[in-house]
Amino acid sequence: MRIVTTLSEARQCLDALPRPQGLVPTMGYLHEGHLSLVRRARDQNAVAAATIFVNPTQFGPHEDLTTYPRDMPRDLALLEAEGVQVVFTPSVEEMYPPQGETVVSVGALSRKLEGAARPGHFDGVATVVTKLFHVMAPDRAYFGQKDAQQTVVIKRMVRDLRFPVEIVVCPTVRESDGLALSSRNAYLDTEERKAALVLSRALTRAQMLHAKGERTAERIRLEMLSVLQDEPLGEVDYVSVADPDSLDEQTCSGDGSLVSLAVRIGRTRLIDNIVLGCDTASHR
Ligand code: PAF
């Protein structure tokens, strides 16, 4: 496995390898969710590459950039064991030259849901992913359904900027009790870890209502809120039943509606989602 830290090394190294090439962009502190993306990238391509970069521009001023969990030696060992050929681990200066001014902004999609709660977040994501695609030129790039809005924003960006890359979205990986894997789960203490199950419980309630024929999106939102309000450690940021492409809130839900939520458990903000008629919020 080659570990490269500069854009020119990354380009040179990938140019010498066969195609198709699959890229898994990450911020490190890898878990089974990331590894499921890596395995898919490895299975579908001649070469699997990954990036580890905690991207400062996608964190708000009061967010957890400085405390974001990191463990580079462990991450590299995991990627090597999965057969990744190239890992790009740039510095902040390598990705963001001094006095850089250019920002990629995907417009309205970036300002809904997570974008409303975290202004500027998706501009940071779109900008760094653009730089990675520009330099690493993957044939396919892999993202988790866990960050549903991120996948919608990136797909739109790829379409708008005509990037010749296929975006592959892989299912959310959950613990056996339903908690979606996230690097931020590391912040939860034992009591909060139990409380965090309220997210998957609320999503399961939505899926059950849908299975029973409920199609009034507001009823689904209210039922989810009532599940969430039963958890004293949880503070709801939003509950949404939205069109999966436009991310507009729906009046009538149906198969394919994106049900998502953000909840603070203590000081940790967690997100999760399901697609009605497709996913379950239990272990798979
Ligand atoms: O999903 C993530 O880990 C990040 O948002 C990404 C796509 C690596 C961009 O920094």
Side-chain angles (χ1 to χ4, degrees):
M1 185 173 82
R2 281 280 306 276
I3 301 165
V4 293
T5 57
T6 66
L7 294 160
S8 57
E9 269 180 302
R11 181 69 271 135
Q12 245 179 14
C13 176
L14 289 163
D15 271 350
L17 291 170
R19 288 192 172 270
Q21 298 181 356
L23 178 67
V24 182
T26 82
M27 297 209 299
Y29 212 69
L30 304 181
H31 50 64
E32 272 300 313
H34 297 112
L35 299 183
S36 72
L37 306 181
V38 168
R39 286 176 199 131
R40 182 84 87 91
R42 194 196 49 205
D43 292 349
Q44 291 186 331
N45 299 280
V47 168
T51 67
I52 301 176
F53 178 64
V54 181
N55 173 35
T57 63
Q58 69 188 76
F59 289 78
H62 304 294
E63 293 184 358
D64 55 345
L65 172 62
T66 52
T67 55
Y68 195 82
R70 296 165 208 236
D71 190 343
M72 186 66 86
R74 180 176 166 276
D75 288 347
L76 293 175
L78 287 169
L79 294 175
E80 180 144 45
E82 293 296 342
V84 167
Q85 283 106 317
V86 180
V87 186
F88 179 41
T89 62
S91 65
V92 172
E93 297 68 36
E94 184 68 13
M95 293 303 284
Y96 293 101
Q99 280 95 49
E101 299 262 25
T102 305
V103 172
V104 177
S105 186
V106 184
L109 278 180
S110 295
R111 293 189 290 272
K112 300 171 187 176
L113 302 171
E114 279 303 280
R118 305 179 66 191
H121 170 69
F122 288 113
D123 289 356
V125 171
T127 303
V128 80
V129 172
T130 297
K131 290 178 191 228
L132 295 174
F133 285 0
H134 178 56
V135 171
M136 302 185 78
D139 298 287
R140 299 191 179 93
Y142 295 79
F143 297 89
Q145 172 65 22
K146 161 78 173 25
D147 294 305
Q149 185 174 4
Q150 173 168 281
T151 67
V152 176
V153 168
I154 289 172
K155 278 185 187 167
R156 183 66 64 93
M157 179 189 91
V158 160
R159 198 200 69 170
D160 291 353
L161 297 182
R162 299 279 193 252
F163 272 116
V165 53
E166 179 190 343
I167 301 302
V168 182
V169 179
C170 301
T172 301
V173 179
R174 297 178 182 278
E175 303 274 12
S176 55
D177 58 8
L179 182 67
L181 296 193
S182 161
S183 304
R184 289 191 168 98
N185 292 350
Y187 298 144
L188 302 169
D189 66 24
T190 314
E191 215 185 325
E192 291 169 343
R193 169 69 182 71
K194 269 191 222 146
L197 291 178
V198 76
L199 279 86
S200 52
R201 272 206 303 281
L203 292 172
T204 301
R205 176 73 66 91
Q207 196 62 281
M208 276 166 48
L209 288 165
H210 176 74
K212 283 189 187 153
E214 181 60 72
R215 295 293 181 267
T216 307
E218 189 59 8
R219 285 220 192 95
I220 296 180
R221 288 183 204 103
L222 290 172
E223 281 285 326
M224 290 174 71
L225 280 171
S226 98
V227 173
L228 294 166
Q229 274 150 11
D230 280 347
E231 174 45 68
L233 291 186
E235 195 193 313
V236 181
D237 205 338
Y238 64 80
V239 163
S240 160
V241 179
D243 177 275
D245 300 315
S246 68
L247 303 178
D248 287 334
E249 289 304 314
Q250 290 181 319
T251 309
C252 294
S253 55
D255 280 353
S257 295
L258 177 67
V259 178
S260 62
L261 75 176
V263 179
R264 248 170 237 287
I265 303 286
R267 287 165 54 184
T268 308
R269 188 171 177 282
L270 298 176
I271 59 171
D272 199 353
N273 70 84
I274 50 162
V275 175
L276 289 181
C278 293
D279 300 332
T280 70
S282 54
H283 179 63
R284 61 159 101 214

